[in-house]
């Protein structure tokens, strides 16, 4: 139903904006980031997975990244690192890595939430 449509829309947002900084900035300007963050925080696995995939694909855009940080998306990505759904955890890992690689505030939030320890556990296979 409704969640399937939302999840599909999240995936399509990523595909439409992929490789286009201009379109990603436009997405940010029209308020496209808060719904993605809301989907990250959903209890629906499909919504979480596709939102995490969209964020991972678009977070290299600075406007998008700033909205993710302001909207609490870093905390959402950290929380999803330990999600039971491996794909959701993987996309969250990619998105978080891209965030912290380019932004000190994202790095600070992730560090305070213990993301490094979780990433080390993931790398060691003890997730």
């Amino acid at each position: 139903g409704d969640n399937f449509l939302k999840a599909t829309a999240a995936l399509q947002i990523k595909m439409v904006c992929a490789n286009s900084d201009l379109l990603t900035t436009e997405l940010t300007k029209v308020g496209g980031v808060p719904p993605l963050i809301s989907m990250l925080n959903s209890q629906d696995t499909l919504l979480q997975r596709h939102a995490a995939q969209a964020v991972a694909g678009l977070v290299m855009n600075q406007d998008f990244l700033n909205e993710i940080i302001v909207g609490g998306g870093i905390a959402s990505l950290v929380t999803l690192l330990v999600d039971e759904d491996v794909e959701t955890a993987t996309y969250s890992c990619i998105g978080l890595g891209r965030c912290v690689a380019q932004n000190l505030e994202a790095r600070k939030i992730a560090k305070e939430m213990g993301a490094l320890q979780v990433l080390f556990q993931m790398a060691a296979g003890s997730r």
Side-chain angles (χ1 to χ4, degrees):
D2 191 41
N3 282 350
F4 182 76
L5 182 59
K6 287 179 185 178
T8 302
L11 189 57
Q12 294 311 307
I13 287 169
K14 183 237 178 208
M15 295 177 103
V16 167
C17 295
N19 303 316
S20 175
D21 218 37
L22 185 64
L23 284 175
T24 305
T25 295
E26 190 60 32
L27 171 72
T28 302
K29 287 181 183 175
V30 299
V33 178
L36 288 174
I37 294 172
S38 178
M39 287 184 233
L40 290 174
N41 297 323
S42 168
Q43 297 301 312
D44 186 286
T45 299
L46 190 63
L47 280 179
Q48 290 175 329
R49 182 186 313 140
H50 288 316
Q53 186 176 5
V55 169
L58 301 175
V59 80
M60 298 305 283
N61 175 282
Q62 291 303 305
D63 295 319
F64 187 90
L65 174 58
N66 290 337
E67 288 294 313
I68 288 292
I69 293 168
V70 169
I74 301 299
S76 301
L77 291 171
V78 172
T79 301
L80 290 174
L81 288 176
V82 295
D83 196 85
E84 291 177 8
D85 182 66
V86 174
E87 287 183 60
T88 300
T90 300
Y91 289 125
S92 298
C93 182
I94 293 167
L96 184 64
R98 290 177 176 171
C99 291
V100 301
Q102 59 184 331
N103 187 283
L104 291 174
E105 181 65 19
R107 198 172 302 152
K108 178 183 170 197
I109 295 166
K111 182 180 178 187
E112 288 173 356
M113 292 190 67
L116 286 177
Q117 291 81 357
V118 175
L119 291 172
F120 291 142
Q121 290 171 351
M122 289 172 80
S126 58
R127 182 182 88 83

